[in-house]
Amino acid sequence: MLDIKLIRENPEMVRANLERRHQPEKLELLQQVADADKRWRELTAQVNGLRKRRNDVSQEIAQAMKAGKDASSLKAEASRIPDEINAHESELEAKQAFVKNGLMRLPNLLHESVPYGKDDKDNVVVKVWGEPPKFGFSPSSHAELSQSLGIADFERAAKVTGTGFYYLRNEMALLDYSIMRYAMDLLLSRGYSLIEPPYMIRRSFYEGVTDLGDFENVMYRIEDSENLKDPLYLIATSEHPMGAMLKDEILNADQLPIKMCGVSPCFRREIGSHGKYTKGIFRVHQFNKIEQFIFCLPEQSWELHEELQRNSEALYEGLGLHYRVVNVCTGDIGSIAAKKYDMEAWMADGEFREVGSNSNCTDYQARRLNTRYRMKEGQAPAGFVHTLNNTAIATSRTMIMIMEQYQQADGTIKVPKALQKYMGMKTIEGKLNKMKI
RNA sequence: GCCGGGGUAGCCAAGCGGACUACGGCGCCAGUCUUGAAAACUGGUGCUCCUUGCGAGCCCAUGGGUUCGAAUCCCAUCCCCGGCGCCA
């Protein structure tokens, strides 16, 4: 959420930002918000004047009654004022709601280092690590490999829950947990606190961490929520419960930065098919993820954004996986990020696909969450904190990378050295407690 | 789930229809004093608007209601604490 004062005092800056983002449709919204805010201020002045009259007359009534005088004519006058106030109040509330809603829908200000561009084709590759594996055979997709090894069952998952789900078996289930444990150990060693969050959170908290428009498309709602006005939703990432954790709180500067590493399954209704790489576990309704999340002082966030990036890169490099990093351009970046790096991994068909993203949300998310900081105990809040979030590892997509990059001619898969101690094996051969179904 | 007790500013806490302009304390900020600090003393300490003023409005968990007037009375909802019940 942007600060309304920025729109009052520096609308040109907000306008230029929308143009850089290629969101001309939002220019009109910006103007509407500015107009509604102006009207809100006029109405506020009028209504406050009426409220003052009401308060004054009520005081006179009190004094008259204390003096034993008749106050009935004053009462008659006073009883007319609430109607006048009500006549304006509904418009006042409507304008206020419009401004708030508009502010929620205007995107964050971009950092100057975000490359200008129209769509994902204009993202700028800033790093390439490793090389594509050289196979003396035609490589298979992870979907084919997992089926032939008998370590995943997509047909029965489709039967039971519909498309977009999976049963992992034996080595692949172990691989899932091994990747999580590997990522947890690395981030713990770098000082991040490990968090297992609630897997569902209330809607009112969700509004603080993400876009309102995402709800009905992306999130699963729990029908049986006890409080129907504020129902529970399954989390789409542990970023959300971690962000919501400090809603309406004020942190002391010496408590910051707060660095967390969340572990949880993620639930998403919208998995977008459109013929894009739909086989296997690339796009699914449920997957496990280790997520990094930071609350920090404004002056710390750009340095920490790079730290998060180094952590992600260390995780993939430790697994020996070929990847690249792109600086997401102005036309492709999400609305809450001021700057975003995407991690893209090489897959067996020779394409790079997104496996994680790293965003500095500056104060945009914190303003929605109302998470502030003060320089010292007892002092008034000095401003909003900055928040950052970064996929450390999404196990589903990391499994794809490992299976497709470490496959061998006989259809088995080498286990990256760093995972062998967690897996208890050096090669995935599909022999562990093999199921005859 | 049931029965009690609660939710007041950064924190603690009083108030329980009309001087509440929300008492008091702690913390914090500024000033006086001091070589400096502490102590002491004085003033300030939430949000919004603009005509920036000893200006006005708002704020007592949240949303409604009663009233000329609500922190205070009524209704609904949420949350916390204690006890009982249920339970991996």
Side-chain angles (χ1 to χ4, degrees):
Chain A
M1 186 165 84
L2 294 178
D3 188 349
I4 185 65
K5 284 179 187 154
L6 188 68
I7 291 170
R8 283 178 198 156
E9 290 161 16
N10 208 343
E12 305 77 27
M13 185 200 277
V14 180
R15 172 173 290 268
N17 184 61
L18 291 174
E19 281 165 0
R20 255 186 104 202
R21 279 178 173 270
H22 290 282
Q23 291 184 307
E25 74 282 2
K26 297 261 164 113
L27 288 173
E28 196 184 338
L29 176 63
L30 174 63
Q31 190 57 50
Q32 288 169 346
V33 168
D35 291 344
D37 175 58
K38 189 162 176 250
R39 180 70 183 142
W40 174 80
R41 285 182 285 165
E42 289 166 8
L43 286 165
T44 298
Q46 280 182 35
V47 169
N48 283 351
L50 289 167
R51 284 174 178 157
K52 176 166 165 53
R53 256 184 64 204
R54 182 198 60 194
N55 292 346
D56 288 346
V57 175
S58 287
Q59 283 299 313
E60 288 174 37
I61 290 169
Q63 278 163 21
M65 288 174 77
K66 270 190 183 155
K69 292 180 194 157
D70 174 40
S72 54
S73 64
L74 282 168
K75 282 189 183 179
E77 189 194 342
S79 63
R80 284 194 297 272
I81 300 175
D83 292 335
E84 289 183 55
I85 292 175
N86 288 336
H88 291 89
E89 234 167 21
S90 55
E91 190 189 353
L92 186 76
E93 282 167 17
K95 293 297 176 198
Q96 189 175 27
F98 184 88
V99 169
K100 176 102 192 276
N101 191 270
L103 287 175
M104 289 285 217
R105 287 190 294 146
L106 287 169
N108 199 358
L109 295 177
L110 293 166
H111 191 252
E112 56 189 14
S113 64
V114 176
Y116 181 79
K118 207 169 168 216
D119 55 35
D120 59 358
K121 293 183 200 68
D122 296 321
N123 293 343
V124 175
V125 177
V126 294
K127 178 173 178 176
V128 179
W129 192 86
E131 286 178 9
K134 293 182 183 67
F135 299 118
F137 55 94
S138 175
S140 303
S141 74
H142 72 283
E144 294 161 340
L145 289 163
S146 59
Q147 297 274 55
S148 64
L149 288 166
I151 56 176
D153 183 348
F154 300 111
E155 283 77 14
R156 288 196 177 87
K159 178 177 80 176
V160 175
T161 44
T163 184
F165 292 91
Y166 49 83
Y167 286 98
L168 300 186
R169 299 172 173 178
N170 297 316
E171 288 97 326
M172 200 158 168
L174 275 180
L175 183 61
D176 190 18
Y177 281 90
S178 298
I179 293 166
M180 286 197 275
R181 186 59 205 263
Y182 160 74
M184 286 187 247
D185 282 354
L186 187 137
L187 290 171
L188 280 167
S189 77
R190 295 189 175 195
Y192 287 65
S193 301
L194 185 61
I195 305 291
E196 185 177 293
Y199 297 164
M200 37 188 119
I201 59 178
R202 292 184 194 283
R203 185 184 176 116
S204 58
F205 284 77
Y206 240 122
E207 287 167 354
V209 283
T210 195
D211 274 321
L212 284 155
D214 287 351
F215 278 99
E216 312 319 328
N217 292 334
V218 177
M219 245 73 83
Y220 287 102
R221 189 176 66 230
I222 305 296
E223 278 298 326
D224 197 28
S225 304
E226 284 179 32
N227 176 9
L228 291 173
K229 281 181 190 157
D230 197 4
L232 292 164
Y233 286 76
L234 287 174
I235 59 173
T237 159
S238 60
E239 171 200 341
H240 298 153
M242 286 193 284
M245 196 162 81
L246 297 182
K247 184 170 160 61
D248 298 323
E249 294 200 27
I250 301 165
L251 291 312
N252 287 345
D254 62 13
Q255 294 176 290
L256 297 168
I258 294 169
K259 299 180 184 180
M260 293 182 282
C261 160
V263 192
S264 79
C266 305
F267 302 95
R268 299 188 182 181
R269 290 178 63 192
E270 179 59 63
I271 54 176
S273 49
H274 309 300
K276 280 197 213 163
Y277 209 69
T278 51
K279 290 267 189 270
I281 55 172
F282 187 74
R283 294 170 187 279
V284 281
H285 289 302
Q286 178 192 323
F287 58 94
N288 291 317
K289 184 154 68 73
I290 312 293
E291 176 86 3
Q292 306 175 74
F293 194 94
I294 292 179
F295 291 98
C296 69
L297 295 171
E299 60 267 30
Q300 297 167 332
S301 74
W302 292 108
E303 191 189 322
L304 289 167
H305 189 227
E306 298 299 323
E307 176 180 309
L308 290 176
Q309 187 59 27
R310 287 194 297 276
N311 292 341
S312 286
E313 293 176 8
L315 284 163
Y316 290 118
E317 288 169 22
L319 295 173
L321 294 166
H322 178 37
Y323 71 87
R324 70 182 188 189
V325 180
V326 298
N327 187 353
V328 178
C329 78
T330 60
D332 191 32
I333 193 170
S335 65
I336 68 171
K339 183 178 182 180
K340 180 159 101 166
Y341 292 122
D342 271 1
M343 295 291 280
E344 298 184 338
W346 183 92
M347 296 185 184
D349 60 357
E351 295 284 318
F352 281 92
R353 291 197 180 79
E354 184 185 339
V355 293
S357 69
N358 176 13
S359 302
N360 184 353
C361 298
T362 60
D363 64 358
Y364 188 86
Q365 197 174 38
R367 186 171 285 109
R368 288 175 168 224
L369 285 168
N370 192 32
T371 302
R372 294 173 290 171
Y373 70 94
R374 61 164 68 89
M375 294 317 293
K376 206 172 159 189
E377 181 66 43
Q379 283 187 351
F384 295 98
V385 300
H386 279 199
T387 61
L388 303 98
N389 67 85
N390 181 13
T391 319
I393 265 187
T395 59
S396 54
R397 292 190 176 180
T398 305
M399 285 193 280
I400 295 171
M401 295 164 77
I402 291 170
M403 294 172 80
E404 298 193 4
Q405 293 192 28
Y406 278 88
Q407 61 181 294
Q408 305 184 98
D410 63 357
T412 63
I413 297 154
K414 283 201 305 191
V415 176
K417 204 158 192 325
L419 293 183
Q420 288 177 4
K421 66 170 171 175
Y422 300 115
M423 287 289 288
M425 62 184 74
K426 291 183 177 172
T427 311
I428 295 173
E429 299 173 320
K431 289 179 180 167
L432 179 68
N433 295 353
K434 194 174 178 70
M435 298 173 81
K436 292 174 185 164
I437 49 169

